Amino acid sequence: MHTGVTGWRKSTRSGSGGNDNNCVEVRRSMNADFHLRDSKLKSGSPVFALSAADFTALAKAL
């Protein structure tokens, strides 16, 4: 059972070069779903909520 929101995480594939900020960040929500945001905008980014099934489908499509 998931009990809380996790911190934002950025992909390790985002690298440390000039594109370091060009990535999507993800975190788990209270109900075990996922939130996505633009890492360049940080707290100013819109946050998109996805169900676990939708997040899995998105990850597999990429």
Side-chain angles (χ1 to χ4, degrees):
M1 177 180 198
H2 189 69
T3 59
V5 174
T6 62
W8 289 103
R9 297 185 64 196
K10 187 166 41 169
S11 170
T12 57
R13 291 182 170 231
S14 66
S16 59
N19 288 334
D20 189 38
N21 291 325
N22 295 327
C23 195
V24 173
E25 294 177 315
V26 64
R27 73 177 179 190
R28 296 291 298 262
S29 68
M30 292 290 287
N31 60 359
D33 289 341
F34 291 87
H35 293 155
L36 301 173
R37 74 177 183 182
D38 185 329
S39 64
K40 292 184 305 291
L41 301 175
K42 301 285 183 198
S43 61
S45 175
V47 175
F48 300 94
L50 295 173
S51 69
D54 287 340
F55 180 77
T56 300
L58 175 64
K60 286 181 179 179
L62 300 174

